[in-house]
Amino acid sequence: MYSADGSSFAVVLSDGTINAYATSNWERTWVLNGDGRGYPSIAFSPNGDRIVADNYDHTVRVWDVATGDYVYIFIGHTGNVKGLAYSPQGNVIASWSEDKTIRLWDVETGDCHSIISGCDDIYALAFSPKGDTVAFGGSDCRVRVWDIAAGECRSILIGHTNNVTRIAYSAQGDLIISKADDDVMHVRVWEMETGACRHIIPTDASPLLSPKGDRIASYDRRINNGIEIWDVETGLCLRRFQAHNGGAIIAAFSPQGDQIVSGDYDMAVRVWDVETGECRHTMADHSDEVKKVLYSPKGDHIASVGGSGIVRLWNMGLSGAFRQISNCHNRIVCSIQYSSKRNQIASCSVDSTIRLWDAETGVCWRTLTGHSGAVCIISYSPSEDQLVSCGEDTTVRLWDVESGACRYILTGHTNIVVGVAFSPQGNQVTSASYDKTVRLWDVETGECLHVLAGHSKALYVVRYSPQGNQVASAGADGTIQLWSVDKGDCQHTLTGHSKDITRIEYSPNGNQIASASSDTTVRLWDVKTGTRSHIFVGHQEEVTFVVYSPQGDKVVSSSAYDKTLRIWDTESGECRYTLTGHTKEIADIAYSPRGHLIASWSNQGEARLWDIETGDCRGTINYGGPPQSGLSFGLWAIVWMSPDTDSFITGDRFGSVRVWDVTEEGDQYRIRMRWTSSNGQLSVEDACVQGVKGLSDLDKRLLKQRGATGEPSLLRLRETGKKVMSMVSVVSKLKSSSGTTASNSSSTSPATSSRGTLHNKLNKRQIQRHLRTSRYIL
C-alpha cells in the first residue's frame, strides 16, 4: 500500500508484520512486528504521515510513519477488527469489527465520537469525498449511508440479494458503487440524493472505479477472462479486451485513469491502454500467481504481490525494470543449522535456495543457488568453513561458506537425496537416498569412496558415529544398518521394528543408537554387539523424532500425531515424563546445549519449552498461523544456538527464519523474538558502483556478491540517460531517509531527524558499517 503522496510504502506480511519503506530510496524506515495471527488491516492518513492498523487484542493503533512510534491506541471494540478507513480530510478514522459495530474516532483527540450499532456483519465501508457521510454494507444485503454530523442513517439502498463486499463513492460524491455476492454477480450504481439504482453492471470480481469516477472496470469470465470498461453516466459497456490466460483476478487504474494494470494466475503483470484496449507491457518475473497490483500515486511505479509473499516494484519509466521486496525464502524452510564459530545461520528451503544469515542482526548476506528442486537437508563441516546440501534433484553439493562457491556437485544417486552429514573429522560426507543406497564421498576430491547397498526400500536418515568410524542408515524397510567407513561393509543389521524407521541418533559417546519408528516404539541398540537394550512403549501414534540429552542419560521422543513428548531414562528404560499440551502435530524437537530444556515446535508454529527435570512447560510462543493442509511432519525446523546463550532458531512454511532469545523469569521463561527474516530485503537490479578506494577485501566481496560492481547486466540505466553511480552516491541515496545524517568529515557531528539528508561524502568507516548491517542489496 502506498501513502497518498507516494512518499511511503507499507507491506503487510503473512505473520502480521508491517514494514514501512521510504520510496525515495526504498530504505525500510521502521518495522512493526506481527503477532503471527495473519494479515492486519492498515490504512495511511491522507497526508501520509500516519498509518493505522488493527491489533489482535481488538484495539486500533495509530503509528507515526517517520518514527514508528504509536500515537494513539483506540480501545472499545469487543471483537476482532475487520477493516479500517481514514476520512479524506484525515480527521476521522472508521473501524468495523466482528462485534457488529462501526466506531468513528477523532484523530486529534483519540476519542470515539460515534458508535454505529445494530448492524449485521460488515464487509465494506467507504467515506464520501467530503467526509460528511460513510456508506457501509455487509451480510444484510443492504447499503446504508450514515450522516456523520447528524449521527443518523440518511438512506438505505436495497436491491442486492447477498453479502455486500465492496463500496466506493464517485469522485464527485454524487454516486455510490456497490458490489455483492449475488446469485448473478453484478455492480450497482446508486444515486446519492435519491437512493435510486441507476445502473446494474455484471461482473465476476470487485469493480474498479477510475480516478475521475466516470469509468468502471470489471472482470467477466464470460468474455474469455476479459476486462470490460463501463461508462458510469450511461451504464453502457465502452470496451472489452481479453486480459489473461487464467482470468484477470485483480486490477487497478493508473492515477490518470488512462491505464489499467492487471494480474493473474498466469504469473504475469500486464498494463493496458484504457482507450484502445492494447496491452502496453507484460512483466512476467513472478514465479507464482499475482495476488495484488497497484499504481504509485504518481503513476511511475507499479507494485505487484505474488502468492509466495514477494512484492515487486516495477519502474514504468525503465520498461518494466523491477525492484523486489521479499521475505527471503518464499516457500517452506526444510532445515536449519547454526555455526557458532561464525555466529551464522544456514537455512534451506523448498524454493531450491540456501541462505546464510548473520545470527545477531538477521542480515541475509549470501544466497546459494544451484539446486533445481527442494533442498532437503544442510550441514556444516566440523570446521564450519564448508556446507553440504542435498535435495530433490538427486545431487549432493559441497559449498565454500566464505565465497559461496559450489566446490563439487556429487552425482550418482538416482532418486531424491534426503540425508547428508559430514564426518567428525570433516574429510568425508555421507548421503542417503530414496534409491536405497548410502554413499561416502571424499571432501577434497569429490570422489565417491563407497556405495553402501543393502536396504530393500527407500532410506530416510543417515548418521556418522561420534568417532567417525561408522555410519548408520535407516528407512522404510524398518532396519538399521551399521557400516564400516574404511571398508564399506555392513557390520550389523538391527532388526525388530515392524514398520519404517523415521529417525535414528547416536548417543554422545557413540555406544548406543536410538531409533524412532512408525510402529509407535523407540528402541535403544548396542552399537558394538548390534543387540537391542531397551524398547520404549507408550506413544499412541508413530514416533517421528528422537534425541539424546547432551549427557546421554536421557532420550526424548515425540510423535507428530499423538502430539506428546516422552522423556526416557536410558539406564532403567523408564518413562520419566509424558509432556502434553500441543494441540497440533509436533514438527520438530531439540535439546538445549546445556541440557536443561527441550524445545518442541508444532506445525502451527507453536513452540513450547519443557523443563527436563520436572517435565513442566516453562514457556510458550505461537507464531505461525493456521497449518497448511497436506503437510507432513518435519516441514518446520527448530535448532538451538551455542551453549553460551539460551537462544533458538525456527523456520516455518511461510519461508521465514526467526531467532528467539530465552530469559528466565521466576519459574517461567520469557521468549522474545530477536529478529525475523520476514522483515524483508530489498534488492535493486542494475545498480553499479565503481572507483571505490580504501575498502577491505570483505567489503569488495560483499559488493560483488550483491551485484553492485562491474558493468550493468542491462542497459536500462543508460537508456534513461543515467551514468553508473559512484559508491558514495549509492550509499548516500540508500541512507538519505533512514534515520541519521552523516557529516562531510567530522565524526562528532550530531545526527538529525529521520527525514534529514546526507552530505555527498561518506568516510570509509561509514561505508563499511553500512555494508555489514544493511539488509539491502545495492
Side-chain angles (χ1 to χ4, degrees), residues 188-210:
R188 288 179 177 255
V189 180
W190 310 86
E191 293 182 356
M192 178 68 180
E193 287 301 318
T194 65
C197 180
R198 178 183 292 185
H199 304 299
I200 298 177
I201 298 173
T203 179
D204 284 332
S206 295
L208 302 171
L209 189 64
S210 67

Side-chain angles (χ1 to χ4, degrees), residues 146 217 453 682:
W146 186 268
L682 185 67

Side-chain angles (χ1 to χ4, degrees), residues 222-223 226-230 237-242 276-277:
R222 299 171 305 165
I223 56 168
I227 293 176
E228 295 178 318
I229 307 297
W230 299 82
C237 181
L238 302 176
R239 192 163 292 101
R240 294 183 175 94
F241 49 90
Q242 185 175 348
T276 67

Side-chain angles (χ1 to χ4, degrees), residues 3 116 136 151 237 278 310 322 328 443 476 524 552 560 643 696 699 726:
S3 61
I116 305 173
F136 58 90
C237 181
E278 178 187 357
I310 293 179
F322 72 87
C328 298
V443 170
L524 300 188
S696 69
D699 295 326
S726 69

Side-chain angles (χ1 to χ4, degrees), residues 538-559:
H539 284 291
Q540 302 304 305
E541 300 283 349
E542 66 180 86
V543 186
T544 46
F545 294 95
V546 62
V547 291
Y548 272 95
S549 64
Q551 298 76 26
D553 59 333
K554 301 180 188 68
V555 163
V556 178
S557 60
S558 70
S559 169

